[in-house]
Amino acid sequence: MAVHTVATPVALGPAVGLSCRECGERFDLGPIFACAVCFGPLEVAYDLPTGDPEALRRRIEAGPENIWRYAPLLPVPADVADKPSLNPGFTKLVKADNLARELGVTGGLYVKDDSGNPTHSFKDRVVAIAVEAARAFGFTTLSCSSTGNLAGAVGAAAARAGLKSCVFIPHDLEAGKVVMAAVYGGDLVGIEGTYDDVNRFCSELIGDPLGEGWGFVNVNLRPYYGEGSKTLAYEICEQLGWRLPDQIVVPIASGSQLTKIDKGLKELIALGLVEDRPYKIFGAQAEGCSPVSRAFKDGHDVVRPVKPDTIAKSLAIGNPADGPYVLDIARRTGGAVEDVTDAQIVDAIKLLARTEGIFAETAGGVTVGVTKKLIEAGVLDPSLTTVVLNTGDGLKTLDAVAPTTGPSATIRPSLDAFRAAGLAGS
Ligand SMILES: *Cc1c(COP(=O)(O)O)cnc(C)c1O
């Protein structure tokens, strides 16, 4: 297979280059994302540490309590843990026994709670890896097209790394996401259009002198960015005692996270870190933006773009780049892709809060809602170990639950008034 080389190759840990997901063509590491031969997406290729799995396991366990414990499996320099970073990851895997009881799950139900990351969403993982690539390629400005969480993660990571940032969002996002994206001091630009318009705009900017020296974490740094999602797979297995879950429910925006979780699980099997046995991956979307779920149910291989209309704005990508790969993975592993309505999303946010004390953003409502729906439909097996992802914090999407959540009563400060409210002993 031909290799496309560059004059001064960079080194990023065990990464040996980029390879095309479609045709396998190989490229040197660089800020490129599409195959020059067939336009397929590029992903990072590795020379992973084979040999004694026990030694690797010990090395990981002795590492820092963040994603850098997995540095031997990521496209980052060996001394990455010493560099300025938000150090995301190693978030809680919560054994959700109350929710399990409510949903009738007997095989063990867990919530991987990524709201515990530095900017309160899973996006800190992917951005942390992209920052290392940006440094290696000499970029001075970090950028992205974002459905909200990514903008905040990029702003914060750039601030810590001493890089400039300029991030782009659809103009009509939740106030919490806009403030989070702006507070770190970089430039924030609202684009009059949908996320898909924002993304198209960023692709144009990359080809223009205006965007020179800019690392767009989810465009020209996308192969590196994507690898950050593998750490979710690593952590889940390590936290289960180096065991694969039987079933895992993952939200879908572009589909990158889901495909890289699958990649991470396969790597752990190949390295001998977990026992090789089947696992099923389930994808979750909001009905108001469900192009992958639609294709799955219709038995199609192609994903027809839609115009999003849902409260789950972090997942509102109408033309998901990794949609076809998500379909492959769901079908190959025996999983499924399902969607829930906005009302079901709100119910699921409240269900998770009421049973486990976890306040999820709308994306978490999507995964919990889809989990419930798939159990009721007999698609998810309640006797198996199941992990549900919560990828963001409910404080960023207060509007979703505010209309149906509030004080049980507002009273004068007197015992009589409290007694009259009828709450005592409830
Ligand atoms: C970005 C995002 C996702 C998933 O993104 P992919 O593009 O599918 O990788 C999931 N949840 C939240 C909260 C997000 O912000």
Side-chain angles (χ1 to χ4, degrees):
M1 197 60 65
V3 175
H4 301 256
T5 56
V6 297
T8 44
V10 302
L12 283 169
V16 291
L18 298 172
S19 72
C20 175
R21 192 148 181 176
E22 288 296 324
C23 73
E25 190 79 358
R26 296 291 288 263
F27 300 82
D28 272 353
L29 294 171
I32 50 173
F33 57 102
C35 176
V37 177
C38 76
F39 303 109
L42 300 180
E43 61 180 358
V44 179
Y46 293 95
D47 184 11
L48 287 180
T50 48
D52 181 9
E54 206 41 61
L56 179 57
R57 200 177 290 147
R58 276 197 304 272
R59 180 172 162 195
I60 290 170
E61 286 172 351
E65 290 197 351
N66 56 51
I67 60 170
W68 305 132
R69 66 204 277 110
Y70 307 107
L73 312 180
L74 295 170
V76 294
D79 64 346
V80 65
D82 302 328
K83 295 177 183 243
S85 163
L86 295 175
N87 299 325
F90 224 64
T91 55
K92 287 178 188 151
L93 183 70
V94 178
K95 184 130 195 292
D97 289 340
N98 299 329
L99 181 61
R101 219 169 293 121
E102 192 108 3
L103 297 181
V105 177
T106 53
L109 179 64
Y110 296 82
V111 175
K112 178 62 171 166
D113 189 10
D114 249 13
S115 67
N117 275 313
T119 70
H120 308 282
S121 88
F122 112 95
K123 289 297 196 301
D124 292 317
R125 298 176 183 273
V126 284
V127 171
I129 310 286
V131 165
E132 295 310 316
R135 280 193 179 111
F137 302 136
F139 290 129
T140 49
T141 299
L142 216 54
S143 186
C144 67
S145 54
S146 172
T147 55
N149 285 316
L150 186 58
V154 165
R160 178 71 67 91
L163 298 168
K164 285 186 283 198
S165 69
C166 181
V167 299
F168 300 92
I169 57 172
H171 68 108
D172 60 349
L173 289 186
E174 303 95 335
K177 298 236 174 91
V178 176
V179 171
M180 276 288 281
V183 77
Y184 303 104
D187 285 321
L188 169 70
V189 180
I191 300 275
E192 292 164 2
T194 64
Y195 170 81
D196 299 282
D197 295 317
V198 180
N199 204 32
R200 227 176 358 257
F201 167 80
C202 285
S203 299
E204 281 179 42
L205 186 50
I206 284 178
D208 192 275
L210 278 171
E212 213 168 294
W214 289 28
F216 290 78
V217 301
N218 58 339
V219 190
N220 59 353
L221 299 176
R222 189 170 180 83
Y224 311 93
Y225 161 99
E227 296 298 290
S229 291
K230 293 193 310 183
T231 59
L232 273 165
Y234 301 157
E235 287 178 20
I236 288 167
C237 290
E238 183 178 351
Q239 289 168 323
L240 287 173
W242 295 106
R243 205 162 52 82
L244 291 167
D246 298 312
Q247 309 178 121
I248 172 162
V249 185
V250 183
I252 300 167
S254 72
S256 170
Q257 176 179 210
L258 187 147
T259 65
K260 300 303 176 181
I261 285 175
D262 180 57
K263 189 180 183 194
L265 295 176
K266 284 197 286 195
E267 286 173 356
L268 293 185
I269 293 170
L271 290 165
L273 290 173
V274 296
E275 190 191 343
D276 185 3
R277 46 189 201 87
Y279 57 84
K280 296 183 181 184
I281 300 188
F282 296 83
Q285 295 202 294
E287 186 183 84
C289 183
S290 51
V292 188
S293 169
R294 185 77 279 138
F296 182 85
K297 291 177 188 174
D298 291 346
H300 292 161
D301 295 332
V302 287
V303 174
R304 283 243 304 281
V306 301
K307 196 162 168 23
D309 180 14
T310 170
I311 58 168
K313 295 188 182 187
S314 57
L315 304 181
I317 298 184
N319 188 11
D322 287 304
Y325 300 115
V326 168
L327 291 171
D328 276 355
I329 290 166
R331 290 180 178 134
R332 171 172 55 74
T333 65
V337 186
E338 186 51 274
D339 55 84
V340 281
T341 65
D342 283 359
Q344 288 170 321
I345 293 169
V346 172
D347 286 347
I349 291 174
K350 291 182 173 177
L351 172 64
L352 181 62
R354 163 166 76 71
T355 52
E356 299 298 339
I358 297 172
F359 185 20
E361 78 143 86
T362 44
V366 169
T367 51
V368 172
V370 161
T371 302
K372 182 168 187 279
K373 188 169 174 180
L374 289 176
I375 289 169
E376 287 165 359
V379 178
L380 266 168
D381 184 340
S383 71
L384 298 178
T385 305
T386 304
V387 176
V388 180
L389 298 193
N390 173 38
T391 46
D393 193 321
L395 287 174
K396 290 201 215 178
T397 57
L398 287 175
D399 286 355
V401 288
T404 55
T405 314
S408 301
T410 303
I411 59 168
R412 283 177 292 106
S414 82
L415 292 178
D416 279 348
F418 183 55
R419 197 175 296 112
L423 295 171
S426 70

